[in-house]
Amino acid sequence: DSGVTQTPKHLITATGQRVTLRCSPRSGDLSVYWYQQSLDQGLQFLIQYYNGEERAKGNILERFSAQQFPDLHSELNLSSLELGDSALYFCASSPGTSSYNEQFFGPGTRLTVL
Amino acid sequence: EDQVTQSPEALRLQEGESSSLNCSYTVSGLRGLFWYRQDPGKGPEFLFTLYSAGEEKEKERLKATLTKKESFLHITAPKPEDSATYLCAVADNYGQNFVFGPGTRLSVLP
């Protein structure tokens, strides 16, 4: 158990809908990272927040957005969903600002878009 | 652009048959190279961080090594519970990006 929690575990929705995924980092960690993992793309970095501020952006679509709240939990919002958005979404946390600290991953949210 | 490749894509070993997994990387100033283990449907589990060429780290049956262009994960006398996908990732000097390789899927047969 990494100490990172994610909810929900599974999410099934339809194309065009909007969903919110939630992540709570390990106690004391200030950075939260979001990743998407699909069968054909591997693990893709989406975005990083550090202590409430956006720190780095990866391959995140404009339809996706994230935020980190004062209690350090983070939410990833996915809108206008398409079939291709079906994937596992992971959240990770680390204590520092930079990605060269090891990251600890949550169990993931499996999103299925029908 | 930072790039990470891993080979082989899949590897089947008999229990006790030692082998190595390769991670080759291209990065603008390596800040750290990371190894993770991932079981199906679960989040990656951190194994090692390597920071400079020549560095080695060990944990049970696993040993990770680093050169200027690649890293190896050596598995000595593997057991069936070592079956998983092993992921390699790099962080560059900008510390802004964390790039994962596609992984090596390891199966250890009893």
Side-chain angles (χ1 to χ4, degrees), chain B residues 38-59:
Chain B
Q38 186 175 25
D39 293 304
K42 303 212 170 162
E45 175 190 339
F46 172 73
L47 293 173
F48 303 109
T49 308
L50 301 166
Y51 293 107
S52 57
E55 191 174 357
E56 298 183 353
K57 289 201 174 161
E58 283 188 70
K59 180 180 176 179

Side-chain angles (χ1 to χ4, degrees), chain A residues 35 37 43 45 48 55-56 88 90 98-107 110, chain B residues 31-32 34 36 38 41-44 46 49 51 87 91-92 95-98 100:
Chain A
Y35 290 86
Q37 187 175 42
L43 205 58
F45 167 68
Q48 177 202 356
R55 180 76 181 171
L88 267 169
F90 290 105
S98 297
S99 60
Y100 52 81
N101 298 124
E102 47 263 32
Q103 298 175 26
F104 296 88
F105 283 76
R110 182 176 293 279
Chain B
R31 195 61 191 247
F34 306 81
Y36 286 82
Q38 186 175 25
K42 303 212 170 162
F46 172 73
T49 308
Y51 293 107
L87 300 166
D92 60 26
Q96 296 286 327
N97 207 4
F98 203 72
F100 275 89

Side-chain angles (χ1 to χ4, degrees), chain B residues 5-78:
Chain B
T5 58
Q6 291 185 248
S7 62
E9 188 175 316
L11 182 62
R12 297 182 82 175
L13 299 173
Q14 289 297 132
E15 185 171 2
E17 181 187 359
S18 301
S19 188
S20 296
L21 312 183
N22 175 267
C23 169
S24 295
Y25 62 89
T26 305
V27 66
S28 51
L30 180 71
R31 195 61 191 247
L33 184 140
F34 306 81
W35 282 99
Y36 286 82
R37 168 198 169 120
Q38 186 175 25
D39 293 304
K42 303 212 170 162
E45 175 190 339
F46 172 73
L47 293 173
F48 303 109
T49 308
L50 301 166
Y51 293 107
S52 57
E55 191 174 357
E56 298 183 353
K57 289 201 174 161
E58 283 188 70
K59 180 180 176 179
E60 297 179 1
R61 295 177 292 283
L62 300 177
K63 178 177 165 181
T65 62
L66 181 65
T67 71
K68 286 188 177 178
K69 297 284 186 190
E70 56 192 351
S71 176
F72 292 93
L73 185 66
H74 307 277
I75 303 177
T76 302

Side-chain angles (χ1 to χ4, degrees), chain A residues 30-31 49-53 68-70 72:
Chain A
L30 298 178
S31 277
Y49 276 80
Y50 173 77
N51 205 20
E53 301 286 327
Q68 186 179 27
F69 295 86
L72 301 177

